[in-house]
Amino acid sequence: MINTPCSRRKFLGAIGATAGVWLARPAFSLAPPAPAGRVAVGMCPEYGPQVVTAMSTLFDQLGGLEKLVRGKTVAIKLNLTGDPFTRLGYAPVGITHWVHPDVVGATVHLLAKAGAYRIRLLESAQGTAEPLEEYMLQANWEPRDFLSAGSRVEFENTNFLGFGKKYSRFMVPGGGLMFQGYDLNHSYEDCDVFVSVAKLKEHLTAGVTLTMKNCFGITPCTIYGDGSPEDEPGLVPKGGRGPFHAGNRMPSKSAPPQVDRSGSTEGGYRVPRVVADLVAARPVHLGIIDGIHTMTGGEGPWAPHCSHVKPGLLIAGTNCVSTDAVGMALMGFDPMADRGTPPFETSDSTLRLAENLGVGTRDLRQIEVVGTPISKGLFKFRSA
Amino acid sequence: MDLDPKWVPMKWPCGPLEWARRSKSKNVGADLKETLDAWAQPAALDLLKGTPVNCLVVEWAEGTPEDSAQQQALKPLLEAGRRRGLNFVGKVAAGEGTAAAVASAQQAGLSAVMLAERSGQSFGMPVILQFARDKVAWKSTTRIFSSTDNEWPGLKLDTMKGDTAIAGPTGVPWVNSNAWFSLLSDELAPGKTRWLDFDPPEAANARHPTNYPLAVADSQAYGSRWIISLDDNFRAALLKGNPQATSAWSKTCETLAFFETHREWVGFPSQGILAVVSDFLGDNAFLSGEVLNLLNRRKVQFRVMERSRALSAPTPGLKAILWLDKDAPSAGQLAKLLAFVRQGGLLIATAYWGPAGVAPKNRDPAVDYKMYNVGQGQIAVSVEGFLDPYQVAVDAHLLVSRRNDLVRLYNPDTTNCHLSLDPVHKRRLVQIVNYSPSAVSFVTLWVNNRARSAQLWSPGTKDSLSIPGVPAAPGTEFGLPTIAVNCALEVEGLNQ
């Protein structure tokens, strides 16, 4: 399989000065502070038409979307973890562990309104190469709603080669924590702006699922899956991302190799490093977190002790580390926490690792929070 | 007396023939001999009191020296059974002595005999022909016919959960089911009653009682009957009054009674959006059978169409036709196929039979098909042909699109359903079967029409339960109570 080096200059125009600072910094530099983006927080008690209004306010508070997306191709990674037919109780997946279709629709609508030339909705549909629209239909979603929310809306299942002719290679600045680089579906390169739309959730392995952990799913299982071929990418994805978790096997040899020499087979060590690598290699320009309805106890209904909750929150930010830090604070966690402290009882902090890679700061003192103050939006996940 | 579709059959293994056969095939102990002897006694029939079982299938003749001893040993059982209103079907092995064995069965007052093949002879009593599943002579089936080589229904593999091999599901669990064969039989032997012959796995015992109701449900929800077959340990435990076995037998009979109470459901035609067309014979039998099996596993609502009869009747609601065989349609069929396509239908085939001059387009990287736009519809031609039944089923599902689903099930993927239509009341019937050994909770049924409520029927309950519908555009969802093995919902209203 042929791989293409990623042209990182492509992202500069869209990411602005923040990215410029980030790109100029060495990967493991601890001296200068990591960049901080503004993070907007809003209350939205329920899904429905009010989501558009609430999100519009958030984007205005961030300074508006227009300068970020006008005339650009925008790729949106959705958090559609698990499969479409496994629910927490009777609740549709968009209520508990998938981003809600109203949030997706509002995002598309507002991006289109801000002048985005093309909008691509992306997710690596679990264990299948079927079109993303079919995956959504299985969850009782209506993909046509998204098509009508903007003029050039496309879908792509990024769990395999998809519509591309080759995989795109993203090298991790500084050499990577777990892998030197990652081979991804072309959609993550063929865009000017990359948006991560996540759910406000905990995660069994990585502590939290926010805009950064959402990017774990940009990796194709044709290369990184349990059933990927040894040498070359498979034609269709087989299995989940067990090798990232357990290190029990390496990706297909066509992809950049593992650099971590710890020999660790612990998910709590490996997964946060893979995630930090990914957001360093494939920068997130806009992070959105759906916390209107969600679940506690883990990232999906398979978590042993989970329940449906209604924090009524929407969060958006231009730096994924800072956005996740605010998200964690709103969940009742300390974003400066690390292994041994909730929610990182059994894992390293992805936020700290990404911060060390220079992606952004998790220090709330350096983050400008606009809109609803954290103290007012606080929803303590562990006591919910 | 003629063959009666109302017979509820059960294997009743006992007597010298059974003992002789078992002795040859595996290590047997005194316990088995004791069980076989006990089941030959009239007192064993007490087990059937108050149950729907009304027909016992017994070994009658194998062409061996034990035949006469068997028939002699069964006499008290037959007499006692007849007094209780039971029917008996004697299994007779094919051979030179078939005619004599059938004559002795008639003399002994059996209601019918079950023969492994048609000899061409005419017998003076009703005959049930039994075939291996892949060798059914569809045109020769008797009013009641039986098939062997069926699967014991249930989960084959455990699933995983989450987005990784450890934390989450990486694929749907494999389920063994005879549903596809029942649906195929409905088409190839319409109006006939099927008795599926399959025995519990050797590992089965009183500690896995759920399996018996599942064997009933997987057969009857799709219009067949299972010839009830209990394993030896279970039968021994039943006669000893083991409470666990007794409870399991009671549950099995509850499930039988459930289907007998709703016997009219057997006549409801299956609903489907995809027609699967083949002659289902010879070289086409394996691929077509597997495709039916896999489509059913994917919960695609399909209808089976025998090739020579395809499109001979109106097909309302049909969105696509999957023409599995390489044989081209006849001129008459082709005209109907193209009319179907021109009106917006989708034809999926291995060759292009449409009008000349239409250039194909590739539709999607996920499906390797050339797409021809014809009228308002399309013809999808497989680039590589139909080689792998799994891929054919996946592709057909994608090509017809989940947008056209009539029903969907959520939580968990160990359930499946059969959709049919009450032709009189114009109500949809959705029969749900849980293939997991454990009861399942929080199952949600989605139907593509708007409905305020549905009536839920479950084994062991006399009355239906009204389940309110929750709008879920463009259809309705129903949150169901815990399902042990099976249930059925009658949903008011058709698709809008």
Side-chain angles (χ1 to χ4, degrees):
Chain A
M1 188 59 55
I2 303 165
N3 299 294
T4 307
C6 169
S7 168
R8 305 186 57 77
R9 280 180 295 179
K10 273 190 166 185
F11 308 130
L12 283 173
I15 199 167
T18 300
V21 171
W22 165 70
L23 285 173
R25 296 180 61 246
F28 284 96
S29 167
L30 296 173
R38 185 184 287 176
V39 179
V41 179
M43 301 298 293
C44 185
E46 199 45 85
Y47 294 111
Q50 64 266 37
V51 174
V52 176
T53 311
M55 290 186 69
S56 179
T57 303
L58 292 186
F59 296 148
D60 286 346
Q61 288 166 337
L62 291 178
L65 290 177
E66 200 168 325
K67 63 185 175 189
L68 183 66
V69 304
R70 175 160 290 282
K72 307 282 176 56
T73 292
V74 182
I76 304 176
K77 164 63 172 72
L78 304 174
N79 185 193
L80 313 180
T81 194
D83 58 54
F85 45 80
T86 302
R87 294 179 169 187
L88 175 54
Y90 299 115
V93 287
I95 292 291
T96 53
H97 58 291
W98 283 24
V99 290
H100 194 275
D102 287 354
V103 172
V104 180
T107 302
V108 172
H109 168 71
L110 293 169
L111 287 168
K113 197 176 163 190
Y117 175 76
R118 177 186 288 113
I119 297 166
R120 260 195 207 118
L121 295 172
L122 311 174
E123 172 60 302
S124 301
Q126 183 177 284
T128 180
E130 69 188 51
L132 196 55
E133 300 95 306
E134 287 292 317
Y135 200 66
M136 291 175 170
L137 283 164
Q138 209 175 347
N140 264 355
W141 284 24
E142 179 45 85
R144 286 174 183 162
D145 291 347
F146 307 139
L147 288 175
S148 61
S151 56
R152 287 183 192 83
V153 180
E154 300 169 358
F155 299 84
E156 185 148 358
N157 175 356
T158 58
N159 211 13
F160 72 123
L161 189 58
F163 290 103
K165 295 192 185 309
K166 60 192 176 187
Y167 286 96
S168 297
R169 176 156 297 178
F170 291 82
M171 299 307 290
V172 184
L177 298 176
M178 188 58 65
F179 291 91
Q180 282 179 356
Y182 297 80
D183 285 352
L184 308 178
N185 175 284
H186 76 98
S187 295
Y188 296 106
E189 182 185 11
D190 294 341
C191 62
D192 305 300
V193 179
F194 181 51
V195 181
S196 172
V197 184
K199 199 82 170 176
L200 191 73
K201 290 183 297 186
E202 294 167 84
H203 193 276
L204 292 172
T205 307
V208 285
T209 305
L210 300 167
T211 65
M212 286 196 287
K213 175 62 180 66
N214 180 36
C215 294
F216 190 64
I218 68 177
T219 50
C221 284
T222 46
I223 297 172
Y224 300 100
D226 299 292
S228 62
E230 195 175 321
D231 295 320
E232 295 291 323
L235 293 176
V236 293
K238 288 182 180 168
R241 297 180 183 82
F244 274 157
H245 281 251
N248 53 321
R249 56 158 294 180
M250 290 296 115
S252 302
K253 286 176 184 167
S254 56
Q258 181 170 314
V259 291
D260 179 77
R261 303 290 175 211
S262 69
S264 174
T265 56
E266 187 212 350
Y269 174 90
R270 296 177 59 87
V271 171
R273 282 167 173 76
V274 170
V275 173
D277 277 354
L278 286 166
V279 295
R282 167 58 280 189
V284 176
H285 302 116
L286 177 65
I288 298 167
I289 303 174
D290 167 13
I292 297 175
H293 284 251
T294 183
M295 58 178 285
T296 59
E299 72 277 19
W302 48 88
H305 306 290
C306 54
S307 58
H308 167 215
V309 290
K310 270 181 71 176
L313 289 167
L314 282 169
I315 305 159
T318 50
N319 182 287
C320 60
V321 182
S322 300
T323 306
D324 286 6
V326 173
M328 274 188 68
L330 286 161
M331 296 166 81
F333 299 120
D334 177 6
M336 301 302 284
D338 211 327
R339 185 179 277 269
T341 304
F344 303 118
E345 287 93 340
T346 58
S347 71
D348 293 329
S349 164
T350 305
L351 282 77
R352 190 251 305 161
L353 293 166
E355 184 180 62
N356 287 347
L357 286 179
V359 179
T361 182
R362 58 182 169 141
D363 185 350
L364 291 177
R365 292 170 303 180
Q366 298 175 46
I367 301 169
E368 183 190 1
V369 179
V370 293
T372 305
I374 290 173
S375 57
K376 280 198 173 175
L378 181 64
F379 186 91
K380 293 184 176 178
F381 270 53
R382 292 291 169 93
S383 39
Chain B
M1 175 178 268
D2 201 357
L3 299 176
D4 187 347
K6 290 180 183 164
W7 285 349
V8 179
M10 177 173 181
K11 280 186 188 177
W12 202 264
C14 62
L17 254 186
E18 190 75 31
W19 173 247
R21 193 162 57 83
R22 303 286 191 97
S23 305
K24 286 175 199 164
S25 60
K26 63 178 181 181
N27 293 328
V28 290
D31 288 355
L32 177 61
K33 180 78 168 66
E34 193 181 317
T35 303
L36 294 177
D37 287 346
W39 277 63
Q41 301 307 310
L45 297 175
D46 288 347
L47 187 69
L48 304 179
K49 272 184 187 167
T51 75
V53 178
N54 57 15
C55 180
L56 302 186
V57 179
V58 294
E59 293 292 338
W60 189 253
E62 283 193 343
T64 61
E66 286 86 5
D67 283 1
S68 60
Q70 172 78 359
Q71 291 158 17
Q72 198 63 29
L74 288 179
K75 268 188 179 176
L77 186 78
L78 297 176
E79 283 169 16
R82 274 197 298 271
R83 282 198 297 274
R84 293 171 185 239
L86 294 171
N87 297 282
F88 286 88
V89 172
K91 284 191 80 172
V92 175
E96 287 181 2
T98 301
V102 172
S104 71
Q106 189 173 21
Q107 200 173 6
L110 270 62
S111 306
V113 288
M114 183 181 282
L115 300 178
E117 62 184 52
R118 181 171 286 280
S119 62
Q121 286 178 276
S122 176
F123 300 107
M125 68 183 304
V127 172
I128 295 171
L129 284 179
Q130 185 168 59
F131 307 89
R133 190 161 79 174
D134 59 349
K135 294 190 174 79
V136 179
W138 295 106
K139 289 178 181 168
S140 306
T141 51
T142 40
R143 188 177 180 198
I144 296 175
F145 71 98
S146 174
S147 67
T148 60
D149 303 332
N150 303 291
E151 300 272 8
W152 182 262
L155 280 188
K156 198 170 182 180
L157 293 172
D158 290 335
T159 186
M160 300 182 212
K161 291 282 182 185
D163 61 354
T164 73
I166 299 163
T170 56
V172 295
W174 182 257
V175 164
N176 285 332
S177 165
N178 300 304
W180 70 272
F181 180 73
S182 294
L183 295 169
L184 174 65
S185 302
D186 254 352
E187 169 70 6
L188 299 186
K192 305 282 180 70
T193 299
R194 295 173 299 277
W195 286 6
L196 303 184
D197 185 349
F198 54 94
D199 299 320
E202 290 193 2
N205 57 53
R207 283 177 294 170
H208 300 286
T210 302
N211 287 344
Y212 293 109
L214 176 58
V216 174
D218 180 62
S219 305
Q220 299 222 184
Y222 293 88
S224 297
R225 286 192 189 279
W226 173 45
I227 306 176
I228 300 160
S229 173
L230 307 180
D231 71 274
D232 294 332
N233 293 333
F234 189 79
R235 293 196 303 131
L238 272 178
L239 286 187
K240 287 172 186 165
N242 174 294
Q244 210 169 358
T246 304
S247 166
W249 174 239
S250 172
K251 291 278 179 200
T252 307
C253 293
E254 230 169 46
T255 309
L256 283 168
F258 171 77
F259 285 106
E260 291 315 304
T261 304
H262 300 286
R263 193 64 197 148
E264 73 278 7
W265 291 349
V266 173
F268 292 3
S270 296
Q271 296 292 289
I273 49 169
L274 172 72
V276 183
V277 179
S278 172
D279 63 3
F280 301 97
L281 296 173
D283 292 344
N284 297 326
F286 171 75
L287 178 85
S288 55
E290 272 303 293
V291 168
L292 294 183
N293 188 17
L294 292 160
L295 285 171
N296 185 58
R297 184 67 204 95
R298 293 180 67 83
K299 299 184 178 76
V300 180
Q301 293 93 52
F302 64 86
R303 296 182 221 169
V304 184
M305 282 190 187
E306 198 277 327
R307 201 174 75 205
S308 67
R309 296 201 293 265
L311 301 172
S312 57
T315 51
L318 205 60
K319 303 290 183 188
I321 294 172
L322 173 60
W323 190 280
L324 281 174
D325 301 349
K326 287 177 183 166
D327 309 68
S330 67
Q333 284 177 322
L334 182 57
K336 287 179 180 173
L337 279 174
L338 292 179
F340 170 77
V341 172
R342 287 194 177 100
Q343 288 164 24
L346 169 69
L347 170 63
I348 307 167
T350 54
Y352 177 71
W353 298 313
V358 180
K361 293 175 182 173
N362 278 322
R363 177 183 155 171
D364 191 285
V367 282
D368 199 10
Y369 282 71
K370 288 181 176 173
M371 306 298 295
Y372 297 81
N373 293 326
V374 177
Q376 294 174 31
Q378 287 187 307
I379 300 176
V381 178
S382 171
V383 172
E384 294 193 341
F386 294 154
L387 304 174
D388 175 6
Y390 173 81
Q391 202 56 50
V392 175
V394 169
D395 292 346
H397 196 184
L398 291 180
L399 288 165
V400 74
S401 179
R402 289 191 172 95
R403 182 178 300 287
N404 293 307
D405 285 350
L406 301 175
V407 294
R408 295 182 191 129
L409 279 174
Y410 297 93
N411 279 350
D413 208 37
T414 56
T415 52
N416 209 338
C417 64
H418 178 217
L419 175 66
S420 57
L421 181 70
D422 177 348
V424 176
H425 301 100
K426 302 297 178 195
R427 278 192 297 240
R428 282 173 160 183
L429 175 71
V430 186
Q431 299 198 62
I432 300 173
V433 181
N434 168 32
Y435 290 87
S436 161
S438 315
V440 287
S441 301
F442 301 112
V443 174
T444 300
L445 171 72
W446 174 87
V447 295
N448 73 334
N449 60 294
R450 293 189 180 172
R452 282 188 186 170
S453 64
Q455 297 304 309
L456 175 80
W457 300 92
S458 303
T461 55
K462 193 178 167 190
D463 299 317
S464 66
L465 182 68
S466 182
I467 306 286
V470 178
T476 309
E477 288 190 352
F478 299 96
L480 307 182
T482 299
I483 301 171
V485 175
N486 69 301
C487 65
L489 278 97
E490 286 178 321
V491 184
E492 299 280 355
L494 300 176
N495 191 28
Q496 306 301 309

